[in-house]
Amino acid sequence: MPIRNELLVYVSDQVAAIPTLQNKQFTLSSFDDSSPIDMHTVIAAINEFLNSIGEDRNFTVVVNGNALAIEPVSGKTLERETFQTSPQDMFSCSHCGFVTRYEVELNIHMRIHYF
């Protein structure tokens, strides 16, 4: 799974928003139209994700109006190294395709679909 999908799932979980994936970007929509999504919370969630995968020093979040971009500091691309795992060792979300090696993590992830 591309790392942007993992980022999308993580950020939408942290912000409690509905994610929409488009080409190379994603959009977050609030559950309640009367309350806007807090940009500071989104930025913090993106930074937490980058830190969790050890990429916080290689990328920065750039704000451009209501849009955010994750820009490389040193020209590096944001990709996850592939690893060999047998399919029976993986758990997959039937709603969005999120994949994890841990059943507990999948159960926590599934909560975004039934919020």
Side-chain angles (χ1 to χ4, degrees):
M1 172 168 60
I3 202 160
R4 78 169 172 268
N5 293 359
E6 293 177 38
L7 173 66
L8 169 68
V9 170
Y10 183 82
V11 172
S12 64
D13 280 350
Q14 298 299 312
V15 179
I18 302 167
T20 304
L21 186 60
Q22 304 165 336
N23 295 332
K24 292 187 177 185
Q25 64 185 17
F26 63 86
T27 304
L28 298 172
S29 304
S30 63
F31 289 106
D32 179 13
D33 291 336
S34 65
S35 61
I37 295 175
D38 181 34
M39 292 289 271
H40 297 292
T41 306
V42 175
I43 293 169
I46 293 170
N47 286 327
E48 286 173 13
F49 178 82
L50 291 172
N51 185 42
S52 74
I53 62 170
E55 294 290 353
D56 54 324
R57 293 182 183 207
N58 296 321
F59 294 90
T60 187
V61 179
V62 178
V63 180
N64 185 8
N66 286 335
L68 301 175
I70 301 171
E71 299 290 335
V73 174
S74 61
K76 186 176 179 182
T77 58
L78 190 57
E79 295 177 353
R80 171 132 7 241
E81 293 180 21
T82 58
F83 57 91
Q84 295 294 342
T85 304
S86 63
Q88 63 262 27
D89 293 339
M90 302 298 284
F91 298 92
S92 177
C93 175
S94 58
H95 298 285
C96 68
F98 172 75
V99 178
T100 181
R101 292 174 39 191
Y102 307 102
E103 185 175 12
V104 172
E105 185 177 17
L106 176 65
N107 293 336
I108 292 169
H109 160 80
M110 291 291 283
R111 293 179 189 170
I112 69 167
H113 298 295
Y114 302 103
F115 194 107

